[in-house]
Each structure stands twice: as structure tokens, then as C-alpha cells.
Amino acid sequence: MAGILAAIKLREAGFDDVVVYEKADRLGGTWRENTYPGLSCDVPSHFYSYSFALNPEWSRRYGSGPEILAYFEHVARQRGIDRLIRCGREVTGCAFERGRWQLRLSDGTRDEVDFVIAATGVLHHPAFPDIPGVARFAGPCFHSARWDHRVAITGKRVGVVGTGSSAIQIVGAIVDEVAELRLFQRTPQWIAPTENPAYTDEEKAEFRRSPAAMKQIREAVRQMLTDGFANVLSDADSPVLRGIHDMCVAHLERSVRDPVLRERLRPSYRAACKRLIVSDRFYEAIQRPNATLVTEGIEAVDPAGIRTRDGVLHALDVLVLATGFRVDRFVRPMRVVGDRGLALDDVWAAGPFAYMTIAVPDFPNFYMLNGPNGPVGNFSLIEVAELQMVYVLQMIERVRSGACAMSPSREAMARFDAERRKAATTTIWNTGCKSWYLDDSGLPTAWPFTFDRFRAEMSRPRFEDWVVHDGT
Ligand code: NAP
């Protein structure tokens, strides 16, 4: 998503020497890697689209994973970006030498470039749980982001570990197909209600005739997700967040009939502390006669199934690990070496960080989209990347018109980081839950200010915060 965007924007700005390196054999990022049943995006599709490439063909409010992948392929083709993509070329190394970036590629070739934009995604290195015995499971076992479509699940006993967005979507999609479904929950999740109506043929015809109709939907969703969510995450005391909590409580109360099951599904922390899950299917699915919520902790995986701490063996044919991602990877495992031989791995030894979510001191002309400390969670990452590209293009123009290479100063980085850390303490993510938003010390790493501030910061770089490297 972000790589295609960067290439489109660079071309629009008059750069005709743009290459997109892609480690896989086709584009698509998370929408290529994730193919699990029920895959969808919980941001309405007319907002989860590029602002300059609205799509009248979305089938429903929340487009499916395959539909979203097809959308990105279509935009890349339509804009001629597919021709710039070098598939099967993973960038393994990237070093700033004599004022330019020297790239090493997985096929043994090299390239030399002036600017690097790392559009390498956020959640793409699966986290495999360290549950004892998991390798000894006799049946098929795979991570949600590596769904094995050769495995038939129809009529099988399927276990799903995890209750994040991926697991919740999977459960809703497969419960009617499998013989038995066991969901292994370590921590309950708040689930916001939603509806997912299909767009009628008439509505789609109207969208084709008049993009204004799509823009209107997009703007309404953007407003709702900005003022009703992204702008208030920074203030745990916000009445809007209290309202979201009450809405989730009411959803649980009215959707789950059995009081025992209801209490086992009730989180003990505040809604939106962990990433909020949005689902119109989950509560219904987990109450099907063939579905079981397992809340006893997992002791070990046996060849025949999962053994919980109460000694029960839950017999399974297929095991799905919906256990999330290694969230601190960002551009890695690419080895990035900046000015004066500084390795990004060393600079990030205590955890990844970025000045204004975009860049790191001493790594000149190196920019990240959806990088560390950026706004994440229940918002369109396309919107985030588009705003970041506005910033990045201004930096590139600045370099093109005089300076040779620029990175944020260490002082500006320290200032930004101190302010970010202070603000993080009052965010909803810091109200007593465990989540992937937190760093090793337990402090939220995501953008802790309002989304309006993010938009404002991205629109006009503070050039005084950047320093010029002489490139020798
Ligand atoms: P996740 O949110 O990180 O959830 C991982 C789940 O696995 C959690 O419930 C976690 O429990 C559980 N888990 C991890 N290790 C475990 C272990 N050893 N034993 C038992 N349980 C374990 O991962 P995800 O569901 O793949 O989602 C990741 C992110 O991807 C989401 O937050 C979201 O940003 C994105 N996503 C978005 C959409 C969308 O529609 N936009 C859909 C899917 C994913 P604990 O809670 O106890 O840690």
C-alpha cells in the first residue's frame, strides 16, 4: 500500500527514476500475506482507499481481503507503477556512503540511490508463541498470516489460539464450516458493534456516475474516525472514550445470552486500551453449539491437541495460531547503516523510534512510511501514509534544491521523544492492559498526540529540526 503510494507521489512530483523493490513475487503487502478466511479491513473501504483513487466497486462497507488486494493491483496497473516494481528482490542491506545509499539485494545485485523510502509495513513478521510442545502437534498447524489453503477444515476440529482482530475474523468465518471450534482466549477483548451492508447495484452505479457520492461517505467516515476516535486516544479521560466503552459493554450485554459465557468474555480493562475489535459476527459465532471458548490457560500442545492447566486435553485436527506479530521489526531484517557507519540495529537497540514518525538522526535521506511512533489502530493507515508522503516530498524537494543530504538533528529527536513519552502516559493505551502498542518498559509507542496534530506536523516540516550531512 505505502510503496505504491510513494511511487505514485514521486512520479507526480517529477521524479522519473523510481524503483520499487519487492521481496515477494507480487505486490500487496499485508493483503498478499494474509489470506485467512474472513480477512477484511475494519476501516470502511471508502476510507481505506487512496484519496486520489476512489473505488466505486467496493462490494460492502468493509471490503474483503481479496477485494482490497485486487484494488491495490488495479491502482498499481492503472498508474503504471507495476512496471517500476522489481519483484523477488529483497533489499538486504542499505548503507549511506559518499552521500548516496548503496543497496544490496537478495539476488546478489546492487543499486545506488539518492533517497530511500522504507514502505516496509508494520505487522509482517509473525510471532509464534513459545507454548511447550507446539512443534509436536500431529495435525496441520499454521500462523493466521500463513494460512495453509491445502488443509481442508470442513468437518474438522479446529483450535484457534488468540483473540485479536485476526482470530475474531477467522472465528466468524469458519464456525459454520468446521465440526468443532475451540477458541483459546488468554485475554478477553472489547468488541465494538458494526454492520456490514452490501452496496446495491444502484449505489455502485451512482458512485461510478458521481465520485461526489463516494467522497461524501469517505468524508463522513474520516470525520467519525478522527473526532470520534483518533483525536481522543491521547486523552484517557475523554468522554468520547467513555462513550465507546459503554457502547462495547452494551454490545456484550445484549449479544451474549449465557451469563457465565458473558463474564468470561468481559475484559477487565477499558475499551480501546488494546486495539479495539470491530465485529458484527463474533458474539454470534462463539455462541454456536459447535463453538467453545476456552479460558483456562494453555499448559502445552500435545500431538492430539491442546492441554489446558486444568488437565483437560482439547482434541484437535487443525491448529491455527492467531498470535500476532513481532511489532518492533519495521524495516528489519534489512541491515541499514547510516552516516559514519552507524547501524540502525544499534541505534534501535532499546527499541525503534523515529523523529516525527518519519526519520532517524544520522540516516540522511532515509524516510519511513508507517514507521515507529506513528498513529496506529482503528484508523486508515493509507491516510497516515498519504500525510507522511506530503512531509517526505517536501524534504526531498529541499534536498533537490540545494542541500545534499539531510536527517533530523539529535537534539530535535531527543525533544520529540521526550514530548512523546510524556504524552504517552495519558493515552488510553496506558490505562492498564497489555498490548502490542507498548514497548518493553510498558510505555505506549504509538503517536500519543491528537490526529489533528499529526496532520498539521505532516503538512509543514520544521526544517530547522533537520541538519545537512556533507556526504564525505
Ligand atoms: P494481536 O492483536 O497481537 O493478537 C494476538 C492474540 O494472540 C492475542 O489475543 C494474544 O493474547 C494471543 N496470544 C499471543 N501469544 C499467545 C500465547 N502464547 N498463548 C495464548 N495466547 C497468545 O494479533 P492479530 O489478531 O493478528 O492482530 C494484529 C493487528 O493486526 C491488529 O491489532 C490490527 O492492528 C491488525 N489487524 C487488523 C485487522 C483489520 O481488520 N484492520 C484485521 C486483523 C489484524 P493477549 O491479548 O493475552 O496478549
Side-chain angles (χ1 to χ4, degrees):
M1 172 278 281
I4 298 164
L5 168 77
I8 290 173
K9 291 293 168 188
L10 285 166
R11 294 274 294 255
E12 279 177 7
F15 292 90
D16 51 15
D17 191 2
V18 177
V19 176
V20 182
Y21 298 99
E22 168 57 61
K23 68 181 175 191
D25 58 3
R26 68 190 281 208
L27 60 78
T30 198
W31 303 106
R32 178 198 61 232
E33 306 273 301
N34 285 275
T35 61
Y36 59 72
L39 175 70
S40 170
C41 181
D42 57 15
V43 175
S45 295
H46 280 297
F47 186 42
Y48 192 78
S49 311
Y50 298 120
S51 58
F52 51 84
L54 302 188
N55 173 23
E57 310 303 333
W58 292 121
S59 63
R60 330 182 66 85
R61 179 179 294 163
Y62 301 102
S64 69
E67 213 179 329
I68 297 168
L69 177 60
Y71 166 78
F72 287 122
E73 286 175 332
H74 171 75
V75 174
R77 229 180 3 255
Q78 193 189 42
R79 306 268 168 159
I81 301 305
D82 53 344
R83 294 194 299 274
L84 309 180
I85 304 179
R86 304 212 181 141
C87 284
R89 304 246 182 118
E90 181 172 354
V91 180
T92 55
C94 189
F96 186 74
E97 289 167 10
R98 297 174 302 282
R100 301 188 90 193
W101 284 97
Q102 313 294 325
L103 306 188
R104 268 201 328 271
L105 303 160
S106 53
D107 63 357
T109 58
R110 287 166 184 266
D111 206 346
E112 186 176 277
V113 299
D114 295 305
F115 301 99
V116 175
I117 297 178
T120 44
V122 189
L123 303 167
H124 56 122
H125 295 284
F128 290 91
D130 52 356
I131 303 171
V134 76
R136 286 188 292 124
F137 182 65
C141 171
F142 45 83
H143 190 276
S144 55
R146 297 285 181 272
W147 194 274
D148 187 345
H149 291 276
R150 293 165 306 179
V151 176
I153 55 166
T154 309
K156 299 279 171 58
R157 298 167 302 178
V158 178
V160 176
V161 180
T163 49
S165 300
S166 302
I168 297 306
Q169 291 183 344
I170 291 168
V171 166
I174 69 173
V175 70
D176 289 336
E177 189 182 345
V178 302
E180 275 180 37
L181 189 140
R182 276 169 204 262
L183 177 63
F184 295 86
Q185 169 185 285
R186 185 165 68 182
T187 313
Q189 293 267 12
W190 285 115
I191 303 197
T194 190
E195 287 172 357
N196 191 13
Y199 287 113
T200 62
D201 289 344
E202 292 72 37
E203 283 173 312
K204 286 192 250 177
E206 171 66 11
F207 294 153
R208 273 177 229 121
R209 251 193 325 271
S210 154
M214 286 185 283
K215 283 189 190 145
Q216 207 176 10
I217 296 180
R218 179 183 171 85
E219 191 48 27
V221 174
R222 200 183 65 74
Q223 282 258 324
M224 188 266 289
L225 285 180
T226 307
D227 294 333
F229 198 74
N231 266 351
V232 297
L233 295 167
S234 53
D235 174 14
D237 291 330
S238 147
V240 178
L241 287 175
R242 303 269 173 206
I244 290 172
H245 185 88
D246 293 346
M247 175 181 71
C248 292
V249 171
H251 185 214
L252 174 68
E253 302 281 351
R254 73 169 174 269
S255 308
V256 182
R257 292 174 296 276
D258 173 5
V260 176
L261 178 63
R262 200 188 303 141
E263 290 321 302
R264 289 162 67 215
L265 285 168
R266 190 189 299 274
S268 58
Y269 53 87
R270 288 185 51 197
C273 181
K274 273 174 175 301
R275 187 183 189 276
L276 195 59
I277 292 178
V278 180
S279 175
D280 61 338
R281 295 270 297 137
F282 175 69
Y283 285 144
E284 188 197 330
I286 199 66
Q287 294 177 89
R288 293 288 164 85
N290 64 331
T292 307
L293 180 76
V294 182
T295 53
E296 273 301 327
I298 297 174
E299 176 83 40
V301 178
D302 280 5
I306 288 186
R307 190 176 298 286
T308 42
R309 292 205 189 104
D310 52 0
V312 174
L313 175 69
H314 301 266
L316 301 169
D317 302 311
V318 179
L319 181 53
V320 178
L321 305 171
T323 45
F325 298 86
R326 297 180 61 191
V327 297
D328 63 345
R329 303 279 81 200
F330 291 101
V331 304
R332 297 176 285 187
M334 181 163 80
R335 183 170 160 73
V336 185
V337 178
D339 207 4
R340 289 171 290 112
L342 268 182
L344 191 61
D345 267 337
D346 295 335
V347 174
W348 279 358
F353 58 83
Y355 167 77
M356 289 291 168
T357 79
I358 296 274
V360 181
D362 300 308
F363 291 78
N365 298 356
F366 184 96
Y367 308 102
M368 290 173 284
L369 299 181
N370 300 117
N373 310 130
V376 288
N378 302 91
F379 201 73
S380 171
L381 284 187
I382 300 182
E383 167 104 339
V384 171
E386 282 195 28
L387 293 171
Q388 289 173 323
M389 261 321 279
V390 171
Y391 191 119
V392 169
L393 278 174
Q394 291 180 72
M395 291 312 308
I396 291 178
E397 286 297 346
R398 184 97 175 183
V399 170
R400 182 154 73 166
S401 62
C404 104
M406 295 179 84
S407 76
S409 71
R410 291 180 182 189
E411 295 71 29
M413 180 73 243
R415 238 182 0 255
F416 173 73
D417 213 45
E419 201 191 346
R420 176 188 72 76
R421 284 171 176 280
K422 183 160 178 278
T425 59
T426 58
T427 61
I428 185 69
W429 308 305
N430 199 39
T431 53
C433 66
K434 201 175 128 259
S435 81
W436 64 264
Y437 293 149
L438 308 180
D439 66 16
D440 289 346
S441 73
L443 194 72
T445 57
W447 181 260
F449 314 108
T450 64
F451 197 80
D452 285 344
R453 171 155 175 199
F454 180 71
R455 184 184 301 280
E457 294 284 3
M458 292 301 104
S459 69
R460 208 167 48 86
R462 303 176 189 210
F463 292 114
E464 67 277 15
D465 281 355
W466 290 71
V467 290
V468 174
H469 294 247
D470 64 9
T472 50

